[in-house]
Amino acid sequence: MIIGSINYGLGNQMLQYAFARSLQSKPNEKLILITTQKQCANVTREYSLYHYHLASNCIVPPVFVQNILLFYIRFKRRFLRMIFHDDSVYQNREKIM
């Protein structure tokens, strides 16, 4: 299962969708698209790929499911960062800078 974030304008959305499709290693692997809305230059860009025929294994879940997925991804990232946190890496980086 691949989770891709689709945002900004139509051209960027098409590129992000194509990149997510290229990451699929198996033809039947599910692709979940998170369509977060970003605001840039006081213009809200909405998901525009509804007008195009996407692959049958591509899923765009409802907004509340997308929010749950985003929360899970952020929580997992923070949890793994806490477990595998190595202070020596950060100390060496401070010495270099």
Side-chain angles (χ1 to χ4, degrees):
M1 175 177 24
I2 296 174
I3 300 175
S5 178
I6 304 291
N7 46 32
Y8 298 110
L10 177 61
N12 288 337
Q13 291 178 17
M14 294 173 82
L15 179 69
Q16 292 162 358
Y17 171 71
F19 180 72
R21 285 293 308 264
S22 71
L23 293 176
Q24 289 179 313
S25 58
K26 303 173 192 167
N28 294 331
E29 190 172 17
K30 290 191 191 267
L31 174 63
I32 298 176
L33 299 179
I34 298 177
T35 58
T36 55
Q37 292 183 356
K38 300 278 183 173
Q39 187 171 1
C40 53
N42 297 327
V43 177
T44 302
R45 305 290 178 103
E46 295 183 4
Y47 178 69
S48 303
L49 295 180
Y50 284 122
H51 306 291
Y52 300 97
H53 176 70
L54 302 180
S56 60
N57 58 348
C58 180
I59 301 168
V60 180
V63 175
F64 72 93
V65 175
Q66 292 181 24
N67 290 333
I68 292 170
L69 281 171
L70 285 172
F71 176 77
Y72 169 74
I73 291 169
R74 289 181 187 133
F75 177 77
K76 183 179 173 183
R77 234 183 253 152
R78 287 181 184 157
F79 181 74
L80 290 175
R81 203 176 300 147
M82 282 185 343
I83 290 176
F84 297 109
H85 182 69
D86 185 10
D87 289 336
S88 63
V89 173
Y90 295 106
Q91 290 171 358
N92 290 338
R93 186 183 306 161
E94 291 174 1
K95 288 178 185 176
I96 294 171
M97 296 181 178

